[in-house]
Amino acid sequence: AQSVTQPDIHITVSEGASLELRCNYSYGATPYLFWYVQSPGQGLQLLLKYFSGDTLVQGIKGFEAEFKRSQSSFNLRKPSVHWSDAAEYFCAAWMDSSYKLIFGSGTRLLVRP
Amino acid sequence: DGGITQSPKYLFRKEGQNVTLSCEQNLNHDAMYWYRQDPGQGLRLIYYSQIVNDFQKGDIAEGYSVSREKKESFPLTVTSAQKNPTAFYLCASKTGTANTGELFFGEGSRLTVL
């Protein structure tokens, strides 16, 4: 079945430390991939997206993600986390010709001062 | 500014009452969506609409209804048949063909059943 998996429910990092959030997908071809961020009680904001081409994608707020076909992964990274990055992060993918964007269950990021 | 407006932001309902959540967009997008969000469960698709006067059920449509009479508007009614309606509801829209392009989200509506 087509799915998006975010294996980490919670991640805690210290401010200034690097961050990597994991995302794996299950699909027979290359999907269109997205990372969204959600602050508490708010809607989702797009951080970055991958459709094709360069597998390292730059986004807003200093985030980047790398698509690895061999690992069916699209992990989100940031070299130095700021306290304002504390939020919930969702990976999502279009996997076929339907209108349904499939979301992972989210990873909540906590930032230690 | 272009965007998606959801209202109300907070809504309280007694059991047995229907409520309607509003979603309006001025992005000229063809497709609109309703998602439900519960803690630890990510986003689950309730209904979506690709064009005016057409909509399809998502994964959890039972107890909900929608209409799409105008391109800009996609209201969601939570009926008394929805057994556990307390949740955060998100409306989204997109342009482009079926499986391309990103979704743009509203700020959400939190429904609490008393």
Side-chain angles (χ1 to χ4, degrees), chain B:
Chain B
D1 287 337
I4 299 176
T5 301
Q6 290 187 239
S7 63
K9 190 166 179 63
Y10 300 97
L11 185 60
F12 297 89
R13 185 192 99 176
K14 294 181 180 179
E15 283 191 20
Q17 289 182 335
N18 293 356
V19 293
T20 297
L21 307 181
S22 170
C23 178
E24 303 278 334
Q25 56 100 357
N26 60 4
L27 299 168
N28 199 32
H29 286 171
D30 292 310
M32 297 187 73
Y33 303 77
W34 275 106
Y35 285 89
R36 171 178 171 143
Q37 187 176 23
D38 297 282
Q41 296 194 43
L43 278 72
R44 293 184 290 168
L45 183 64
I46 305 173
Y47 269 98
Y48 63 98
S49 169
Q50 301 171 34
I51 56 172
V52 174
N53 293 323
D54 184 55
F55 48 83
Q56 285 80 39
K57 293 181 179 180
D59 298 318
I60 57 165
E62 184 176 353
Y64 300 97
S65 65
V66 294
S67 63
R68 187 85 188 275
E69 298 177 359
K70 299 185 300 182
K71 187 176 184 177
E72 302 80 16
S73 179
F74 191 41
L76 174 73
T77 296
V78 185
T79 75
S80 57
Q82 169 50 234
K83 290 181 172 45
N84 184 20
T86 294
F88 190 56
Y89 292 88
L90 286 160
C91 179
S93 70
K94 72 177 287 290
T95 187
T97 56
N99 62 342
T100 63
E102 67 262 33
L103 295 187
F104 293 79
F105 283 86
E107 291 296 298
S109 293
R110 183 167 298 281
L111 173 63
T112 302
V113 174
L114 303 174

Side-chain angles (χ1 to χ4, degrees), chain A residues 6 27 30 32 36 40 42 45-46 48 52 64-66 68 74 76 83 97 101 109:
Chain A
Q6 294 180 246
Y27 184 49
T30 298
Y32 294 125
Y36 285 88
Q42 301 295 313
Q45 180 183 22
L46 181 70
L48 46 78
S52 64
E64 65 178 27
E66 185 172 12
K68 292 186 177 180
F74 188 55
L76 182 71
W83 63 267
S97 60
L101 184 63
L109 174 65

Side-chain angles (χ1 to χ4, degrees), chain A:
Chain A
Q2 298 169 354
S3 64
V4 174
T5 302
Q6 294 180 246
D8 303 306
I9 298 174
H10 298 280
I11 282 186
T12 301
V13 299
S14 297
E15 190 168 16
S18 64
L19 171 71
E20 182 169 29
L21 302 182
R22 297 183 290 166
C23 173
N24 294 95
Y25 63 89
S26 175
Y27 184 49
T30 298
Y32 294 125
L33 294 157
F34 306 85
W35 274 100
Y36 285 88
V37 62
Q38 184 183 33
S39 297
Q42 301 295 313
L44 276 69
Q45 180 183 22
L46 181 70
L47 285 175
L48 46 78
K49 58 190 177 186
Y50 173 76
F51 289 165
S52 64
D54 192 347
T55 56
L56 186 61
V57 180
Q58 301 299 319
I60 63 171
K61 304 186 180 188
F63 285 92
E64 65 178 27
E66 185 172 12
F67 171 66
K68 292 186 177 180
R69 185 191 310 273
S70 61
Q71 298 178 19
S72 298
S73 69
F74 188 55
N75 293 351
L76 182 71
R77 301 194 295 244
K78 187 170 185 178
S80 178
V81 170
H82 188 263
W83 63 267
S84 60
D85 293 324
E88 189 150 23
Y89 292 79
F90 292 94
C91 182
W94 295 112
M95 293 192 188
D96 55 26
S97 60
S98 76
Y99 274 77
K100 180 179 173 179
L101 184 63
I102 299 175
F103 284 86
S105 56
T107 297
R108 181 165 297 279
L109 174 65
L110 304 174
V111 180
R112 281 193 296 257

